[in-house]
Amino acid sequence: MADPSPQTAPADSRRMADRILRPVARMLRGAGWLSVLAGALWPVQAAVLAWAVSGWVEGQDPLSRALPAAAVFLAVAVIRAGLEHRSGALLFKAADRTMARERAALIRREAREPSGIGSAAPASLAVQKLPLLQPWITRYHVAMLRARILPALLLALAFWHSWLVGLTLLVAGPLIPVFMALVGMAAEEASRRQMAEVGDMNTMLMERLSALTDIRLLGATERATQDFAARAESLRQRTMAVLRVAFLSSTVLEFFSALGVALVAVFVGFTLLGEITIGTWGAPLTVGQGLFLLLIAPEFFQPLRDLATAWHDRAAGQAVVAELEALDAAPRAAMLGRGEAAEPLPGPLSLRTEGAVVALGGGRVALPDLAVEAGQSLALVGPSGSGKSTTLAALAGLVPLAGGAVTVCGRRLDAGAADGWRARLALVPQRPHMPDMSLAEWLDPRGTGADPRAALRLAEAEAIVARLPEGLATRLGESGGGVSGGEMRRLMLARAAMAGGDLVLADEPTADLDPDTARRVIAALERMRAGGRAVVVATHDPALAVAMQTRVTLGGETGA
């Protein structure tokens, strides 16, 4: 990820707002005006309270004004509550829609066009950082609209009753936006640094987890622990920096708002005592007018205080958008085709590579020259990092070539042929992923509705399903909870069998399995080949490599 810039230019801010806020602008406008209307009703409640209390001070019957005042006050309160509830519902709907849109675009793009920077940054954005857009969407726009309208309305009402109170509010009010802007610059920088640190820590975690075996073998566990401790301490410092700025901002804003309210209270008090005789438009200030001014003075500052809080939310949200834009601009390897369902590519099965080269992450991976037809099996062997998984991805058209060619069914594998070619493939990934669906649905990736028993029998997986509490209706969860790793591999083979097609691509199908389970997996692959399918596996397992008809060592020779 790119380093966060120290400050967001106005053009950048507008671009970010267009990306996040414009698609939901209609809902934001509706929510904003509902909230403004709710805030504009407070002077009505304040006037009713002042009218009732002034009557009591003048010696009138308390109930003569209390009952109608209470009725009006409660009625207006119910209306305000309804307006705020509807405003909040629109805001959170807009936030949910925005986060869902950005998350779907992020996941769809990373699935089809991986950036080569690893999965930690996109995962951190999707899970941890995108939710930080919610406060920006739900608070900032409404706070800005309220700050533009409500203080001006309350200021006009204050000037109507007392030019001195109006002048006091007019002087104290603008100090809040000024200091909010000054502190906001520091808040934006602190938020950006915190977001960058969160991303760096997630990247470190993914790197250490992927190398956990090597770390333990090399005795570097203590060093890895120290690295995590240092990174966690750095994140703590970044977070505390954000909190310090937030507390500083809150202190400054509370000081000026409290000072403004206190000055109004002093003026009203001494005016009613007769000690101050200026500040009104000729007539002395009444108890009702003084109480009304005291009630609206805090509400004059409240929209400005809300805006100051939302300013921090905006800074955090823009830091997230800056990371989204940096990820948008990252170089990518686009998947061939559209990734949509298509008619299978016609013609007899054939697969050939000639001088094929894949460019990934700034490097180039040369693929071996190979040829596979129906009923044949081939093993890709070689050390970790030699390009076995990359070769499988290229054979499936999941990564584009930088040179050479892959020929499938007599035609070049390009964007026009990729979707039809994949319709003839069955993929067995190294790590399972179980969507939130029943086992029966998952076993039938093409939605044929066929009986899965034959596929389960081929993979020797019938007993696995039989012992599950709900059988084929069981939902295993994303990691396949409820079945062992070996059982999950056999279920993936059954899924590949149900997917149909002529070619099975399997990535390390026997990795980390005990000898008996590995033997079952190898036997299932052999049954698929004997049934007329071609099988290509990437493996470190000598037993699996020997079981295949042909072995290709990446960087080495081809042998039987």
Side-chain angles (χ1 to χ4, degrees):
M1 301 295 293
D3 291 336
S5 59
Q7 195 170 339
T8 301
D12 293 335
S13 296
R14 287 192 294 270
R15 186 185 67 251
M16 292 177 180
D18 285 345
R19 171 174 181 162
I20 299 302
L21 303 181
R22 178 170 289 182
V24 291
R26 184 174 181 180
M27 285 188 286
L28 293 180
R29 282 195 299 270
W33 284 109
L34 288 174
S35 184
V36 167
L37 181 57
L41 289 176
W42 170 247
V44 177
Q45 292 178 288
V48 168
L49 285 176
W51 174 72
V53 173
S54 65
W56 303 341
V57 172
E58 293 169 1
Q60 297 181 13
D61 180 10
L63 294 180
S64 65
R65 292 193 177 186
L67 292 179
V72 173
F73 187 91
L74 291 176
V76 175
V78 170
I79 295 173
R80 290 186 65 194
L83 293 172
E84 291 289 1
H85 180 271
R86 179 56 183 164
S87 173
L90 287 174
L91 290 171
F92 279 94
K93 182 179 180 181
D96 290 344
R97 183 174 295 180
T98 300
M99 290 188 293
R101 183 186 71 245
E102 292 293 334
R103 184 176 288 116
L106 173 65
I107 293 173
R108 182 170 56 251
R109 184 186 62 224
E110 292 301 317
R112 294 191 54 182
E113 303 178 29
S115 61
I117 64 173
S119 59
S124 176
L125 271 170
V127 177
Q128 294 177 289
K129 298 180 182 181
L130 278 179
L132 296 178
L133 295 176
Q134 185 186 75
W136 179 19
I137 297 169
T138 57
R139 297 178 188 173
Y140 178 74
H141 179 82
V142 170
M144 179 65 77
L145 188 60
R146 287 170 59 92
R148 288 173 177 170
I149 297 175
L150 293 181
L153 172 63
L154 296 174
L155 186 65
L157 293 173
F159 266 112
W160 179 267
H161 294 285
S162 169
W163 62 264
L164 188 55
V165 171
L167 186 62
T168 301
L169 297 180
L170 184 61
V171 172
L175 294 176
I176 292 180
V178 169
F179 280 92
M180 176 188 70
L182 294 175
V183 178
M185 296 177 186
E188 184 175 348
E189 169 64 6
S191 296
R192 287 183 178 276
R193 293 187 180 278
Q194 183 195 31
M195 291 298 102
E197 195 65 43
V198 170
D200 290 345
M201 190 166 186
N202 277 279
T203 300
M204 172 182 278
L205 176 61
M206 295 299 293
E207 290 175 349
R208 296 302 187 270
L209 286 176
S210 63
L212 189 58
T213 301
D214 294 335
I215 290 173
R216 296 179 65 183
L217 289 175
L218 295 172
T221 305
E222 184 176 353
R223 173 64 182 275
T225 303
Q226 292 173 353
D227 290 344
F228 271 116
R231 185 64 71 182
E233 175 62 19
S234 179
L235 178 58
R236 185 192 68 81
Q237 292 176 358
R238 302 294 190 195
T239 304
M240 291 304 298
V242 174
L243 293 177
R244 281 195 297 270
V245 172
F247 282 124
L248 173 63
S249 174
S250 177
T251 300
V252 171
L253 301 180
E254 291 295 334
F255 171 77
F256 284 111
S257 60
L259 182 62
V261 173
L263 289 174
V264 172
V266 168
F267 166 76
V268 170
F270 278 97
T271 298
L272 293 178
L273 291 174
E275 299 295 329
I276 297 179
T277 57
I278 61 171
T280 62
W281 300 103
L285 195 69
T286 66
V287 172
Q289 290 176 315
L291 184 57
F292 177 77
L293 291 172
L294 288 175
L295 288 172
I296 67 170
E299 292 301 312
F300 171 81
F301 293 101
Q302 189 60 47
L304 301 175
R305 294 160 65 189
D306 292 342
L307 180 59
T309 301
W311 195 268
H312 296 288
D313 299 326
R314 170 181 175 271
Q318 288 190 343
V320 174
V321 178
E323 292 204 26
L324 285 172
E325 291 182 341
L327 192 59
D328 291 345
R332 300 181 176 278
M335 178 181 72
L336 295 178
R338 300 174 60 86
E340 300 174 350
E343 288 296 319
L345 203 64
L349 177 71
S350 64
L351 170 63
R352 297 181 185 278
T353 63
E354 297 177 289
V357 178
V358 172
L360 286 177
R364 295 168 70 88
V365 179
L367 308 187
D369 290 343
L370 54 86
V372 180
E373 295 184 356
Q376 296 181 348
S377 60
L378 180 146
L380 299 171
V381 298
S384 297
S386 59
K388 297 187 300 297
S389 297
T390 300
T391 299
L392 290 183
L395 296 182
L398 298 178
V399 292
L401 297 182
V406 175
T407 305
V408 296
C409 300
R411 61 175 294 180
R412 190 183 185 93
L413 179 57
D414 54 19
D419 289 327
W421 169 240
R422 283 190 288 267
R424 299 185 66 165
L425 303 182
L427 302 177
V428 182
Q430 185 174 356
R431 295 180 179 85
H433 174 74
M434 298 286 295
D436 185 20
M437 60 176 57
S438 69
L439 184 57
E441 294 175 289
W442 181 77
L443 286 170
D444 188 11
R446 303 197 193 279
T448 62
D451 189 338
R453 284 180 294 183
L456 292 169
R457 190 180 309 115
L458 180 146
E460 300 185 34
E462 289 178 297
I464 301 171
V465 176
R467 71 170 179 78
L468 293 175
E470 297 181 67
L472 289 171
T474 302
R475 293 175 181 262
L476 296 177
E478 289 193 9
S479 60
V483 297
S484 67
E487 291 171 336
M488 192 67 229
R489 294 285 171 79
R490 281 184 278 163
L491 288 174
M492 287 195 293
L493 288 175
R495 185 174 190 265
M498 281 205 69
D502 308 297
L503 174 62
V504 178
L505 300 177
D507 192 1
E508 299 286 1
T510 60
D512 304 319
L513 300 184
D514 62 83
D516 180 65
T517 304
R519 179 188 57 77
R520 292 169 180 260
V521 170
I522 294 171
L525 290 170
E526 178 58 24
R527 281 190 285 271
M528 288 185 182
R529 186 203 64 78
R533 298 186 183 189
V535 176
V536 177
V537 300
T539 184
H540 286 96
D541 183 2
L544 176 57
V546 169
M548 299 293 104
Q549 294 175 329
T550 306
R551 294 180 301 283
V552 175
T553 302
L554 272 69
E557 300 295 330
T558 300

